Amino acid sequence: MNEEAIRLTVLAGLMVGCEISAASKFDRKNYFYPDMPKNYQISQYDRPLCTGGSVEIEVEGRPKTIRIRRIHLEEDVGKSMHFATTSGLDFNRAGVPLMEVVTEPDLETPRRPSRS
């Protein structure tokens, strides 16, 4: 258990007004993906560290609230890189703790600028 990753995730949750869970759990998600050498990922889903909260941003000069569903920890996987004729895999970050922020569907596509 990476205590610093948990501490920083809880701190992020407090900064955006999340409720901090007294108990959380990690699950093993099994699936194949080329940049995941173990074919599974350790992640939180149904009992994350942080739930709720929000972030306020400015859109076209007006405030907009982005609601947060959860902030959880998971294990980062590798990185796929695709080039014109080949592909590559970078496993340097595989297994490193990754904090993920999941929002409610409050973000939307920005308007396209009008063409003159």
Side-chain angles (χ1 to χ4, degrees):
M1 186 73 56
N2 187 316
E3 291 180 21
E4 183 66 1
I6 292 171
R7 186 185 76 77
L8 291 172
T9 301
V10 168
L11 181 61
L14 291 171
M15 290 172 64
V16 295
C18 288
E19 180 178 319
I20 308 303
S21 300
S24 66
K25 72 177 179 98
F26 290 89
D27 295 304
R28 180 175 162 160
K29 297 185 332 187
N30 294 289
Y31 58 95
F32 172 77
Y33 204 69
D35 61 7
M36 195 166 53
K38 301 182 297 185
N39 291 332
Y40 68 87
Q41 179 185 37
I42 303 300
S43 181
Q44 295 182 314
Y45 181 73
D46 60 336
R47 296 187 65 189
L49 286 167
C50 310
T51 55
S54 63
V55 175
E56 198 160 290
I57 62 173
E58 188 176 301
V59 178
E60 296 179 348
R62 295 184 314 237
K64 179 173 178 82
T65 300
I66 307 300
R67 296 170 296 155
I68 295 173
R69 181 173 293 176
R70 68 180 173 272
I71 301 176
H72 67 265
L73 278 173
E74 63 185 31
E75 175 183 32
D76 203 350
V77 295
K79 177 181 177 182
S80 296
M81 299 168 293
H82 305 288
F83 308 101
T85 58
T86 62
S87 291
L89 297 171
D90 179 355
F91 293 114
N92 285 320
R93 66 184 191 192
V96 173
L98 171 74
M99 179 183 73
E100 184 171 84
V101 178
V102 180
T103 66
E104 297 293 344
D106 296 330
L107 296 170
E108 54 196 55
T109 303
R111 288 189 313 180
R112 289 187 156 165
S114 60
R115 294 186 179 182
S116 300

